[in-house]
Amino acid sequence: GPCTTTTHFIGYMYVITPMTIVGTLLNIINQCIFFKYRQHGSTYFYLFWLAAIDMMCLILATPIGPIRCIPPSHSWEIWARGIFESYFYLGLGVVFDTTSIWCTMIMSVDRYVQVRASHRSSTVFVESNQGPKMILGATVVLSIMVNFPYFFIKELDEDGHAVDRAFTLTKGFQIYT
């Protein structure tokens, strides 16, 4: 919700916003390093895409401080804020967050397989990135499918404010989330 206290304002404007900007820049540097050295292997592939996915999470979170704490000066700003928070920050943010978590888990399993059965896994994972590409693609598709309802949690009222839809209050949806 909007900033209601000084603590909220400080948290949103002076902690979250700079932290997301720095995190985005560090992820860009991380991607540049992985791209420059072009290391082979599934771990590097996952780390490169994990940096890209995390960067997208941070980019989506960067404007939340100003959106929630700076009062709009025009009516169109209310609509723009509602659209961003309802569809981009909530919908896409959850998809990228979930993909990031699952990518980290997949990378851990991949490393375990490579250490445990290094001879057998080398032909599948190290010499070719086809296996990790398919796994990452399936992870993204699954994340979109699982989180698709989050794109429809909120709707904009007549004034442009994001409000909960009626079905988000049902018990079935409460269990889902």
Side-chain angles (χ1 to χ4, degrees):
C3 291
T4 54
T5 66
T6 305
T7 307
H8 284 149
F9 186 83
I10 291 170
Y12 277 121
M13 295 299 291
Y14 298 115
V15 177
I16 292 175
T17 302
M19 185 173 58
T20 56
I21 292 169
V22 169
T24 300
L25 294 174
L26 291 175
N27 275 304
I28 290 170
I29 292 169
N30 195 5
Q31 285 180 301
C32 290
I33 290 169
F34 280 120
F35 186 76
K36 179 181 179 183
Y37 294 108
R38 293 189 183 159
Q39 298 289 329
H40 297 286
S42 57
T43 302
Y44 298 107
F45 175 81
Y46 288 129
L47 286 171
F48 176 82
W49 285 104
L50 183 62
I53 293 164
D54 287 343
M55 181 184 67
M56 292 305 299
C57 294
L58 292 167
I59 287 171
L60 288 169
T62 299
I64 285 301
I67 284 175
R68 292 188 177 171
C69 294
I70 298 173
S73 57
H74 301 288
S75 61
W76 65 268
E77 286 183 31
I78 296 172
W79 283 93
R81 291 169 184 226
I83 289 171
F84 178 80
E85 206 163 345
S86 298
Y87 301 112
F88 292 99
Y89 179 66
L90 183 61
L92 280 177
V94 171
V95 168
F96 283 121
D97 289 342
T98 304
T99 305
S100 174
I101 293 166
W102 289 350
C103 187
T104 303
M105 181 188 68
I106 289 169
M107 188 174 56
S108 299
V109 170
D110 177 64
R111 290 301 305 150
Y112 175 77
V113 168
Q114 286 187 24
V115 168
R116 203 67 183 133
S118 61
H119 177 67
R120 287 178 284 179
S121 69
S122 66
T123 58
V124 177
F125 292 103
V126 177
E127 295 173 10
S128 167
N129 275 340
Q130 293 305 313
K133 286 178 185 175
M134 291 188 313
I135 292 170
L136 185 62
T139 302
V140 170
V141 169
L142 183 63
S143 177
I144 292 169
M145 288 173 28
V146 167
N147 295 303
F148 193 69
Y150 284 101
F151 286 98
F152 305 103
I153 288 179
K154 297 198 178 279
E155 62 186 352
L156 301 179
D157 65 6
E158 307 83 37
D159 298 328
H161 295 97
V163 294
D164 288 333
R165 290 180 184 246
F167 78 90
T168 60
L169 304 175
T170 63
K171 288 187 180 188
F173 189 80
Q174 296 296 325
I175 290 170
Y176 176 80
T177 58

